[in-house]
Amino acid sequence: MNKHLLKRLEQKEYVSGETLAKELNVSRTSIWKYIKSFEQKGYIFESKKNKGYRLIFRPDIPIAEEILPYIKTSIIGKKFYHFPSLPSTNSHAKELLKKDISEGCVIVTEEQMNGRGRKNRKWFSPKGGLWFSVILYPDIPPQKAMYVTMAASIAISIALKEICNINPEIKWPNDILLDGKKICGILTELDAEMDKINYSIIGIGLNVNNGIPSALNHSATSLKKFTGNEVSRVLLLRSILLHFDKIYQYIVCKDLDFIQKSWLSYANIIGKEICVHGEKETIKGRVSDIDENGCLFLSTNKGITHIVAGDIEYI
Ligand code: BT5
């Protein structure tokens, strides 16, 4: 019930404790307790005798009460957890999966002490950024799992345009760039059998108002740095989850073609000269196409090579 309390109090008029209690079907003492708990988080309410309460200041914290009442989704956000600090939202999602957890569960944290990238690389995740994971059970073959990452990156690109009016570029396989610098990374972790994905955890790290360590200054940026302003993490998360839920419907109804076309319009990779840094070697070539699983075809001086994984660099 308290998910709706903030939304109810954001209007200009005061709302009495009695009205709130009636509308939300709880006692007046519970309303008072909820208000106190929000005050502890930094929210400021004005209260007037015989008139009631009014919300006058809200900090930018992506808690369930700020997100769920503002978005209508069919899968994503069915469960929502927010933590002040976690080792990693992806690791926490794995812990939750040991219990019975519904599809669409979102785990958000203010900071990660052990944020991870691919191949266990360190992901820098201090306060001020948006660090979260979404648990999904996509009914597609494991070799097409890349489409879930694609759906997430399209959603993030749409949200960045909607909230910040900026046009990011998606970089294969899991980055989002602004002027060539990484603003967001996606870590998709799977549990799968030969022909079935048991679950997929999509971990999203978006640099919003957080600082960037000097060692990453040449390759990474934040929205605050790029736009010159603080950006609302609450508005961003609402928009990302809403669009992710919409695009995920194309995976549900297996229209992967739509996702690939949409992804390509943000990725602009076909025809580009790239270097692929793989486990064992670096290959140079021009991207000639993308296959039905989201892997790249690279035209090299030795012929066409199929690229399934790796880090790419534009040259
Ligand atoms: C990624 O890996 O880009 C995936 C990052 C996913 C992070 C999210 S946060 C929520 C969830 N929980 C987790 O524990 N992880 C996910 P990769 O492509 O391997 O890139 C890693 C590399 O990016 C590092 O080796 C650094 O060079 C660089 N890097 C680290 N922190 C960064 C940051 N905050 N912004 C930009 N680049 C960063």
Side-chain angles (χ1 to χ4, degrees), residues 8-9 11-20 28 31-32 35 39 45-56:
R8 184 66 183 87
L9 285 173
Q11 275 95 23
K12 279 196 192 106
E13 306 86 43
Y14 289 86
V15 187
S16 75
E18 196 183 339
T19 308
L20 283 171
R28 285 182 67 171
I31 296 288
W32 183 82
I35 285 186
E39 280 177 345
F45 300 88
E46 205 170 51
S47 66
K48 268 202 178 154
K49 227 180 170 187
N50 299 329
K51 279 192 154 181
Y53 304 96
R54 191 163 72 112
L55 176 60
I56 55 167

XYZ file of all heavy atoms in Angstrom, residues 8-9 11-20 28 31-32 35 39 45-56:
253
model
N 0.225 9.920 -3.981
C -0.993 10.558 -3.486
C -0.679 11.916 -2.850
O -1.488 12.828 -2.887
C -1.644 9.614 -2.447
C -2.958 10.093 -1.911
C -4.016 10.121 -3.004
N -5.287 10.651 -2.545
C -5.596 11.949 -2.538
N -4.737 12.836 -2.959
N -6.781 12.354 -2.113
N 0.548 12.032 -2.288
C 0.879 13.266 -1.562
C 1.605 14.305 -2.419
O 1.972 15.359 -1.944
C 1.736 12.925 -0.339
C 0.970 12.292 0.814
C 1.927 11.845 1.900
C -0.035 13.277 1.390
N 0.462 15.952 -4.954
C -0.392 17.031 -5.455
C -0.250 18.301 -4.600
O 0.274 18.235 -3.492
C -1.861 16.593 -5.459
C -2.254 15.834 -6.710
C -2.148 14.340 -6.499
O -2.207 13.898 -5.382
N -1.972 13.588 -7.560
N -0.743 19.415 -5.143
C -0.599 20.700 -4.443
C -1.400 20.741 -3.138
O -0.985 21.326 -2.162
C -1.075 21.833 -5.356
C -0.020 22.254 -6.363
C -0.383 23.603 -6.972
C 0.495 23.894 -8.177
N -0.218 23.747 -9.439
N -2.563 20.092 -3.164
C -3.435 20.175 -1.982
C -2.942 19.260 -0.865
O -2.300 18.260 -1.119
C -4.880 19.747 -2.314
C -5.525 20.462 -3.462
C -5.202 19.814 -4.784
O -5.243 18.583 -4.861
O -4.882 20.554 -5.732
N -3.282 19.664 0.355
C -2.991 18.809 1.515
C -3.967 17.635 1.517
O -5.102 17.781 1.059
C -3.194 19.592 2.810
C -2.132 20.654 3.032
C -2.267 21.926 2.476
C -1.008 20.372 3.794
C -1.306 22.894 2.664
C -0.036 21.346 3.989
C -0.189 22.598 3.417
O 0.762 23.544 3.613
N -3.507 16.503 2.032
C -4.428 15.362 2.183
C -4.399 14.960 3.656
O -3.314 14.795 4.235
C -3.982 14.153 1.321
C -5.038 13.064 1.356
C -3.697 14.579 -0.113
N -5.565 14.827 4.239
C -5.594 14.516 5.678
C -5.206 13.063 5.933
O -5.390 12.194 5.068
C -6.993 14.788 6.240
O -7.855 13.752 5.834
N -4.681 12.833 7.135
C -4.308 11.481 7.538
C -5.508 10.539 7.451
O -5.386 9.384 7.049
N -6.672 11.091 7.780
C -7.883 10.274 7.765
C -8.232 9.840 6.339
O -8.507 8.665 6.077
C -9.024 11.110 8.361
C -10.205 10.278 8.754
C -11.340 11.160 9.261
O -11.083 12.313 9.663
O -12.491 10.682 9.241
N -8.182 10.808 5.401
C -8.479 10.478 3.994
C -7.487 9.440 3.482
O -7.876 8.458 2.833
C -8.380 11.762 3.115
O -9.192 12.742 3.717
C -8.790 11.511 1.693
N -6.195 9.676 3.779
C -5.165 8.740 3.317
C -5.432 7.342 3.860
O -5.368 6.346 3.120
C -3.774 9.191 3.787
C -3.128 10.338 3.023
C -1.864 10.788 3.755
C -2.796 9.925 1.604
N -4.483 5.224 10.666
C -3.800 6.538 10.634
C -2.404 6.416 11.219
O -1.492 7.136 10.801
C -4.629 7.565 11.411
C -5.835 7.983 10.598
C -6.634 9.022 11.315
N -5.909 10.293 11.429
C -6.473 11.408 11.870
N -7.721 11.416 12.241
N -5.774 12.518 11.948
N -0.100 5.380 8.514
C 0.220 6.513 7.625
C 1.332 7.349 8.262
O 2.324 7.696 7.613
C -1.040 7.402 7.392
C -2.119 6.616 6.648
C -0.676 8.700 6.674
C -1.850 6.332 5.193
N 1.158 7.634 9.545
C 2.155 8.441 10.268
C 3.518 7.742 10.228
O 4.544 8.363 9.964
C 1.682 8.654 11.713
C 2.604 9.526 12.496
C 2.637 10.897 12.495
C 3.639 9.096 13.381
N 3.621 11.351 13.317
C 4.266 10.271 13.881
C 4.104 7.854 13.811
C 5.330 10.228 14.780
C 5.160 7.810 14.701
C 5.763 8.977 15.171
N 5.082 8.033 6.786
C 5.602 9.381 6.551
C 6.942 9.546 7.265
O 7.911 10.054 6.705
C 4.556 10.434 6.960
C 3.483 10.415 5.862
C 5.173 11.826 7.129
C 2.415 11.413 5.926
N 10.603 10.362 5.721
C 11.387 11.508 6.210
C 12.817 11.076 6.515
O 13.768 11.811 6.259
C 10.724 12.122 7.442
C 9.568 13.031 7.055
C 8.813 13.609 8.247
O 8.972 13.112 9.380
O 8.038 14.555 8.020
N 7.890 16.585 4.101
C 6.437 16.777 3.998
C 6.074 18.017 4.792
O 6.688 18.311 5.817
C 5.677 15.580 4.595
C 5.982 14.283 3.912
C 7.051 13.496 4.329
C 5.217 13.849 2.836
C 7.339 12.302 3.690
C 5.502 12.661 2.192
C 6.577 11.877 2.627
N 5.087 18.743 4.308
C 4.571 19.865 5.074
C 3.293 19.347 5.719
O 2.501 18.680 5.025
C 4.234 20.990 4.111
C 4.266 22.351 4.712
C 4.159 23.390 3.609
O 3.242 23.281 2.784
O 4.998 24.287 3.576
N 3.127 19.614 7.003
C 1.852 19.181 7.580
C 1.172 20.369 8.248
O 1.835 21.214 8.867
C 2.065 18.042 8.568
O 2.787 18.497 9.667
N -0.127 20.474 8.056
C -0.891 21.582 8.642
C -2.052 21.028 9.434
O -2.716 20.095 8.969
C -1.425 22.494 7.531
C -0.493 23.628 7.213
C -1.233 24.771 6.539
C -0.241 25.895 6.308
N -0.627 26.734 5.213
N -2.215 21.621 10.591
C -3.314 21.165 11.461
C -4.652 21.262 10.723
O -4.882 22.238 9.995
C -3.353 22.037 12.721
C -3.469 21.205 13.958
C -3.497 22.053 15.181
C -3.872 21.133 16.329
N -4.095 21.868 17.518
N -5.462 20.258 10.851
C -6.782 20.175 10.214
C -6.754 20.072 8.684
O -7.784 20.015 8.043
C -7.682 21.375 10.586
C -7.926 21.410 12.069
O -7.957 20.357 12.719
N -8.038 22.605 12.620
N -5.561 20.113 8.104
C -5.498 20.019 6.641
C -4.836 18.728 6.195
O -5.260 18.084 5.242
C -4.720 21.214 6.075
C -5.545 22.467 5.953
C -4.812 23.487 5.139
C -5.769 24.461 4.471
N -5.056 25.420 3.665
N -3.747 18.392 6.881
C -3.076 17.135 6.543
C -1.659 17.320 6.032
O -0.970 18.258 6.436
N -1.269 16.435 5.105
C 0.124 16.417 4.647
C 0.223 16.793 3.174
O -0.700 16.617 2.397
C 0.713 15.003 4.776
C 0.653 14.409 6.143
C -0.397 13.545 6.498
C 1.641 14.669 7.073
C -0.448 12.970 7.750
C 1.599 14.093 8.327
C 0.550 13.241 8.659
O 0.514 12.671 9.888
N 1.464 17.217 2.807
C 1.758 17.540 1.420
C 3.246 17.277 1.219
O 4.072 17.653 2.061
C 1.451 19.027 1.215
C 1.444 19.515 -0.179
C 0.721 20.853 -0.199
N 1.562 21.875 0.425
C 2.118 22.892 -0.252
N 1.881 23.034 -1.532
N 2.865 23.778 0.371
N 3.591 16.650 0.124
C 5.011 16.353 -0.144
C 5.644 17.581 -0.777
O 5.166 18.072 -1.805
C 5.082 15.157 -1.104
C 6.453 14.719 -1.599
C 7.356 14.323 -0.445
C 6.313 13.540 -2.570
N 6.734 18.101 -0.168
C 7.339 19.294 -0.771
C 8.758 19.067 -1.280
O 9.281 19.858 -2.042
C 7.297 20.530 0.162
C 7.952 20.220 1.513
C 5.885 21.048 0.334
C 8.201 21.482 2.310
